[in-house]
Structures are given as C-alpha cells and as structure tokens.
Amino acid sequence: MADTIFDKIIKKEIPADIIYETDEVLAFNDISPQAPFHCLIIPKKAIATINDIQPEDAQLIGQLYLAAAEIAKQQGVAENGYRVVMNCNKDGGQSVYHIHLHMLAGKTLGWPPYSDKVKQI
Ligand code: 5GP
C-alpha cells in the first residue's frame, strides 16, 4: 500500500505540529481545524480503516484513547470535555486512509455532527 500523508508525517518527511508522541502513537494538530482545538491521534502502524483493525490491534486502539485522555489533560480541556471520532470510508467522511481519531475541543460541540436529514436505513 502506498504511503499516505500520515505515513510521511510519522517518518518526519513532511512537517506537522506534533503535540504527543510515543513509540506507537502520534498526535498532531489538524491542518484544517473544525474546533478551537482539533488534533489527530494516529497509530504509527498503518491501518487503512476501522474495517482493517485486527484482534491483535486491540491494545493499540486502546492506546489512541489513552492518548486522547492525556492530551485533554495537557490542553486543559479534560473537565469541560471534548469529542473523539473516527471516520470510516466514504459515507463516514474518511479522506486519509490511515486510521485516526479526531479530537475536538474548546467549545460546546453540536450534535448530531451532520446537517442533512436523518433517514432510516
Ligand atoms: P478524515 O477526513 O480522513 O476523517 O480526516 C483527515 C483529516 O486530516 C482532515 O481533518 C484533514 O484536515 C487532515 N489533514 C489532511 N492532510 C493533512 C496534513 O498534511 N497535515 C495535517 N496536520 N492534517 C491533515
């Protein structure tokens, strides 16, 4: 599979505003923020979509959420709260095929996070 833009950020081939890093997880500010604070939390392992997560990745996925909680503390938003969301494929709005948690904070976020009418499926 070809490198995504996030693989290039992991390899430090292109710049990003990195705010958190461990051996397995990286977080950096989103280039097009949708809230006063908007970062992306990614595994360094390349996993294209939620559909590609394997049972052996369960610990790694847990680390993404532990990173979110740690970043929330660092950013001072833990108490007020924040949202984490992971998009999957076209209908989910995924544009970069390397799984990532969006972490949004800094204002009261609306719900639902889409504008079109809900249709039963
Ligand atoms: P998705 O649409 O796949 O759920 O989210 C991809 C996110 O990656 C978008 O919010 C987009 O703004 C962000 N993004 C895309 N390219 C770059 C980049 O080169 N640098 C950073 N920091 N964010 C990016």
Side-chain angles (χ1 to χ4, degrees):
M1 197 171 62
D3 273 5
T4 66
I5 195 93
F6 292 171
D7 291 297
K8 292 179 181 156
I9 289 173
I10 291 163
K11 292 182 196 162
K12 314 273 162 75
E13 289 172 3
I14 63 165
D17 189 7
I18 292 170
I19 57 168
Y20 177 95
E21 182 165 16
T22 67
D23 287 346
E24 294 180 282
V25 174
L26 189 69
F28 49 90
N29 290 324
D30 196 293
I31 204 166
S32 175
Q34 303 299 309
F37 176 74
H38 182 179
C39 78
L40 302 169
I41 305 170
I42 70 172
K44 290 185 177 175
K45 178 181 177 181
I47 301 171
T49 78
I50 295 173
N51 296 334
D52 301 300
I53 296 171
Q54 300 301 311
E56 60 266 27
D57 298 321
Q59 217 257 358
L60 179 59
I61 301 306
Q63 287 187 39
L64 301 182
Y65 286 88
L66 291 170
E70 184 59 34
I71 292 166
K73 268 193 260 169
Q74 283 175 12
Q75 298 290 328
V77 299
E79 193 176 331
N80 275 359
Y82 52 93
R83 177 174 297 157
V84 289
V85 63
M86 188 179 286
N87 299 326
C88 183
N89 279 340
K90 179 175 65 67
D91 281 0
Q94 186 173 8
S95 61
V96 178
Y97 284 79
H98 181 125
I99 59 166
H100 46 282
L101 277 183
H102 291 262
M103 179 173 176
L104 302 128
K107 67 174 187 180
T108 301
L109 299 158
W111 189 264
Y114 42 78
S115 54
D116 47 341
K117 282 204 179 113
V118 175
K119 197 172 67 179
Q120 292 294 333
I121 54 170

